[in-house]
Amino acid sequence: MSKKTVTDDISAEVRLELYRTQVRLREAEQRAFDLFLQNLVKGTSHLSLGQEAIAAGFAVAMQKGDLSFCTYRGHAHTLARGVPVEKVLGELMSRDNGLMRGKGGSMHLTSVEHGVMGSYAIIGAHLPIACGAAWRAQYRGDSDVSVCFFGDGTTNIGAFHEALNFAAIWKLPVVFVCENNLYMEYTPIADVTAVEHPAADRAAAYGLERIIIDGNDADEVLRTARKAYERARRGDGPSLIEAMTYRHSGHSRADPAKYRPEGELESWKKRDPIKMYRARLLKLGVSEAVLNTIDQEIKDEVEAATVACKAAPAPSADIIFTDVYADGGWAWRN
Amino acid sequence: MSKKTVTDDISAEVRLELYRTQVRLREAEQRAFDLFLQNLVKGTSHLSLGQEAIAAGFAVAMQKGDLSFCTYRGHAHTLARGVPVEKVLGELMSRDNGLMRGKGGSMHLTSVEHGVMGSYAIIGAHLPIACGAAWRAQYRGDSDVSVCFFGDGTTNIGAFHEALNFAAIWKLPVVFVCENNLYMEYTPIADVTAVEHPAADRAAAYGLERIIIDGNDADEVLRTARKAYERARRGDGPSLIEAMTYRHSGHSRADPAKYRPEGELESWKKRDPIKMYRARLLKLGVSEAVLNTIDQEIKDEVEAATVACKAAPAPSADIIFTDVYADGGWAWRN
Amino acid sequence: MAELTYRDAVARGIAQEMARDPDVVLIGEDIAKAGGVFKATVGLYEQFGPRRVRDTPISEQAILGAAMGAAMTGLKPIAEIMFADFAAVCWDYFANEFPKSRYMTNGQVKTPLVVRLGNGGGARFGAQHSQSVENWCMMIPGLKVVVPSSPIDVVGLMAAAVRDPDPVIFLEHKSLYATKGEVPDGEIVDTLGTAKILRPGKDATILALSLMVPRALEAADRLQAEHGIDCEVIDVRSLVPLDTQTILASVARTHRVFTVEENPRLCGWGAELMSIIADEAFYELDGPLVRITTPHIPLPAADVLEDLVIPNAARIVETVLRTLSN
Amino acid sequence: MAELTYRDAVARGIAQEMARDPDVVLIGEDIAKAGGVFKATVGLYEQFGPRRVRDTPISEQAILGAAMGAAMTGLKPIAEIMFADFAAVCWDYFANEFPKSRYMTNGQVKTPLVVRLGNGGGARFGAQHSQSVENWCMMIPGLKVVVPSSPIDVVGLMAAAVRDPDPVIFLEHKSLYATKGEVPDGEIVDTLGTAKILRPGKDATILALSLMVPRALEAADRLQAEHGIDCEVIDVRSLVPLDTQTILASVARTHRVFTVEENPRLCGWGAELMSIIADEAFYELDGPLVRITTPHIPLPAADVLEDLVIPNAARIVETVLRTLSN
Ligand SMILES: Cc1ncc(C[n+]2csc(CCOP(=O)(O)OP(=O)(O)O)c2C)c(N)n1
Ligand SMILES: Cc1ncc(C[n+]2csc(CCOP(=O)(O)OP(=O)(O)O)c2C)c(N)n1
Ligand SMILES: [Mg+2]
Ligand SMILES: [Mg+2]
């Protein structure tokens, strides 16, 4: 592969990293879906199939120490920060090797050591929380950025409004990323939102710039992320970014997504972020062999993770009573 | 008085009604303040001294059946709908002749027969509630408008955002009136808000027009109200109006308002809505005698109300256990 | 007479009332076209149309505020707050608005509405989607709180809730949606504030609610069959109004009491009932009042863990045995 | 040793901890320049500056979310939610976020923060500004809940709350702010989870909290002086952790128990304590467990009405007398 060709403002290494990350998210989540069909995933799960470019772009642009705040649809963002596939699948499968040993479940993936400060399942709750982490950075003079991911539907809940105003007036180093996948669960976002772009058309209400990007283009995502992170680190305050995308699967494992108009999925699949990115890399001169190697490495990683998870024991009963409080236990009385 | 001179798009009758209403609010609230100094007002109270033009303009423009939703700063809006002064002062003084016989207190003035659907003391709560009343009108084909009053500080709470979006997407006949008196309690609104005009600069976030008016000019208020009500009755949906004004007294009876920059109160007092409106009427040819008669009538009404309230008994103990439930009682068990 | 699921009973109860009263309307997230995430409102959109069955944004405060404003002015709204846990994002309406306005206004304002919540655990949804919030609701003066355990009760209590002139919190258990029961044809209207003795017994009273009812019944059967202990099982059904007469009369017969509660332990509905009993039936008691509850912890997601924390028949049997043999 | 008001004790406790630990920060509405609507944070802005003492918009969810995010990443925020009733507009953080994240993440996330609330009635503020929400907090697993009744306890428990690694809800009583008490000079650090026997007695145990503590003490004095009944008065102080040892030991000495609770009756903290006693100390009891509470109604605003519904010394005396003479 010729570095010259593939490098512009984005280096060849970063481009390959973007590719690798997207493939990793795709493969891991497709495996999650397979395991669900095998009845090995308990509880619910919300996949980001089709939305990988956003998770990849924002994560690859981060520095170590930057913090991610995710939703119940958080597998992709968690994996994108480098959390091992095994840890994620283990949690989905309620195994002892899971990220939280099964105590949190698929909607609460958290890996503080990787900067994944939690996945939040109550719509909107984590936007103010991300503000708080950013406030700490500002207070201490730390240089990290807090990045908060959420969906289009989330822009209609009160906490969104409070967080955006709060971040703006305190000029907090926080980046709000709205993944507009056109649906709030089963309802088209347009049916329940007063503006066309649920996030971007409200940026001005917080004195912020209107930013809409192609969320299926990892390069565009990365460039946007870099700019927003720089702004935050400079002390210029928050950004609100609306990334247009589409989820290939249903809202959650329970949803066959029959509410979609005919052809919508197909047309978006033509704009599959990974397919498009692969094509771009090839066009930029990356050899098919390099990409195939990456594909294979990821497949192997996911396969190994699956094997490990299937072999992993269920969590032991004693952890039921651990970590309610900081002393490690749950005692509410003497 | 020459009807010709005083009448343009606003009739002479309406103009006098606007004057009378403003004077009535002023006198009644000033009396409330005096009674507080005499230790006859229990609990808290929040006066609208200086903000009368807004209450008067919106109320006078209403039709019978239109509904008002107010805040803890609700005396003015309640009185403006024609609720007797005695009923309001009685409630402030915790007397049996009060609007709610002392059960609600100054922050919860309600008179359903006058269309005053309640005064709400939790910031933001009544915006969604007003939506609900408007939804009923839409559902039934009723022609009434719901009018919801709140302050500048209220625009930063989540319920504001949810209500505005909700009203917009359902095109509800509701009018949101933000009385921007420059302060959220003791904090200048500019210190805690990301935009200059906390309501108007956010109207676009709900697909609504940006409307800012002089809240100390009763005519401008009335004209704006009429337009908004017409729009609502036509089925064209909600309006969000920001009326600039200033409160002459502190936030509540506990507040001496020392946080104001020097001269601010004085400069706003020059723009006292009643002083200005009186001057306008005189200029338009209304005789001083007519206005003095109104002034005297109001003074007499307030004085009579005061006498009645002072003579009124405290509420009787038995009402403690009435009206928790619709059967008139409070029984939670058999 | 048809066999219905608890899930279908919800839709049937709502349909019965919507057909009867044009003021009854239904709102919530994905409840219309999609029939609800729990499929408990399937068919209502088709039957009653988009005017009466409306999808909302993710704006729980707007949903409940709108329900309240509509109720104040003449409608009888049924609002869904999908998972009971989400009551926390609109708690102001539960706690400060609709339960208090009638009182504060000296009777001027009415709020006849129903809030439906998908309550309880067992679906491996984790700590933020599995809570039992009946005690959150019971502690607020001015609310009524209904917690049905069977399809027939769902229909009848839904009708009673919709017809009730006060705000009623209607807690549907997610793990009961798929359960089935016989439901007679025709209109069914039950009465709020009535507990049901589902199994008479003389040795001890077991008070249960919702998902805990079938488990209490199973435990009672085993206690009888395996240990000769004859438990009376009462489905409390309605926390407010509370049928203290039925409960206290049972205590006066059995002299021993247990609660089976899914809510976390502290300040659960069982604490209230036990306190009432410890005050008003103290001299009837032959031994300690024992609550069988989920421990006071957030709910874990993993199946093996969740199954260990929510009370089940085995734990009930074991607790009753241990207590009565002391 | 100085005489301090309860109000000033709040500021002193916070100042003590802010001076000691640069990670302690204070946020809330009008708490900085204005010193708080209850004047409980007067002087802190001047002493610690705008970086550490910050006014916020009316955005209670943002306040608590920000406190949580800061706590997760290293600060020790103290957040004020002005009137306890407003907990309802940000209840998600109390109920679903900070109490659950440590558990859900298997110990990865910590949330060492303090939420201060202006709790309780007596100021004629009406139903939406007068509530006692200690039971709202007690029922949520993962929270700690502290309810001081005197200036010295305010200082010491505030210090303990700030230093505690878990989320602590700190309920200040609005009607106690003006009360005074001796507070020693120098650092004061108390211990969470410890009840205090304020008045030893042998005939009955009275469990009280916050504003109800002075009333219980007054009642006990009158019961002694006028009726020869010797009551032990325990200031529970901390609902979570709960000092059951002190409470159960007292019950074992007196054999009769009363609670005095300001919260509305159903599912109050007293229901929990009575249930614990009815289970674990059943055989120590000589008579019914009696809770003296605000009735289960919204609070009326008028002075004459409010004074009738919140428990006072006369009602305590009367209830104890009537109960013990039965
Ligand atoms: C407060 C709250 N209300 C409702 C839900 C249920 N819910 C979960 S995901 C979802 C849709 C969210 O849509 P969007 O923000 O667009 O995110 P997406 O799922 O499309 O990624 C809803 C309504 C919730 N979790 N929390
Ligand atoms: C949810 C909530 N938070 C805080 C308060 C306390 N509070 C009462 S009035 C007020 C200021 C409101 O300011 P604004 O909306 O500008 O109205 P104004 O008082 O100026 O009329 C605050 C913070 C409240 N009542 N409810
Ligand atoms: Mg979406
Ligand atoms: Mg204001």
Side-chain angles (χ1 to χ4, degrees), chain C residues 41-121:
Chain C
T41 56
V42 166
L44 296 172
Y45 177 80
E46 290 71 18
Q47 188 177 351
F48 299 102
R51 196 172 141 265
R52 297 185 65 190
V53 182
R54 288 186 88 160
D55 283 325
T56 69
I58 312 178
S59 306
E60 279 80 3
Q61 296 189 78
I63 294 170
L64 291 191
M68 177 166 162
M72 285 168 64
T73 55
L75 300 189
K76 304 204 109 210
I78 306 173
E80 175 178 302
I81 299 297
M82 201 184 288
F83 285 76
D85 317 63
F86 309 163
V89 302
C90 47
W91 189 241
D92 184 46
Y93 293 91
F94 287 88
N96 290 327
E97 311 302 337
F98 41 74
K100 292 185 166 60
S101 41
R102 181 184 288 274
Y103 188 80
M104 295 195 301
T105 63
N106 197 36
Q108 293 182 69
V109 167
K110 57 182 174 161
T111 54
L113 54 84
V114 176
V115 183
R116 298 175 44 236
L117 301 168
N119 199 45

Side-chain angles (χ1 to χ4, degrees), chain D residues 263-285:
Chain D
N263 51 222
R265 189 169 186 84
L266 300 193
C267 298
W269 60 266
E272 181 56 42
L273 268 63
M274 291 308 208
S275 293
I276 292 171
I277 292 164
D279 182 352
E280 302 179 28
F282 179 79
Y283 296 106
E284 296 288 354
L285 296 175

Side-chain angles (χ1 to χ4, degrees), chain A residues 42-44 94 102-105 107-108 121-123 153 156-157 184-187 191-192 316-317 320-321 324 330 332, chain C residues 29-30 33-34 37 56-60 82 86 89 123-125 128-129 266 295-297 300-303 305 308-309:
Chain A
K42 315 291 164 125
T44 185
S94 298
K103 284 173 87 167
M107 296 203 283
H108 299 294
I122 306 284
I123 293 290
N156 291 325
I157 202 163
M184 163 217 140
E185 277 184 355
Y186 318 146
T187 299
D191 290 3
V192 289
S316 54
I320 286 173
F321 296 110
V324 176
W330 71 298
W332 52 269
Chain C
E29 294 161 20
D30 292 311
K33 286 182 210 144
V37 295
T56 69
I58 312 178
S59 306
E60 279 80 3
M82 201 184 288
F86 309 163
V89 302
R124 293 73 175 95
F125 280 150
Q128 292 186 338
H129 278 68
L266 301 192
H296 205 59
I297 58 171
D303 48 354
L305 303 178
L308 284 168
V309 299

Side-chain angles (χ1 to χ4, degrees), chain D residues 60-124:
Chain D
E60 279 80 4
Q61 296 189 78
I63 293 170
L64 291 192
M68 177 166 161
M72 286 168 65
T73 55
L75 300 188
K76 303 206 107 208
I78 306 173
E80 175 177 303
I81 299 298
M82 199 185 287
F83 285 76
D85 317 63
F86 307 164
V89 302
C90 47
W91 189 242
D92 184 47
Y93 293 91
F94 287 87
N96 290 328
E97 310 301 338
F98 41 75
K100 292 186 166 57
S101 41
R102 181 184 290 274
Y103 187 80
M104 293 193 304
T105 63
N106 195 36
Q108 292 183 71
V109 166
K110 58 184 175 162
T111 54
L113 54 84
V114 177
V115 183
R116 298 174 44 235
L117 301 168
N119 199 46
R124 292 75 174 92

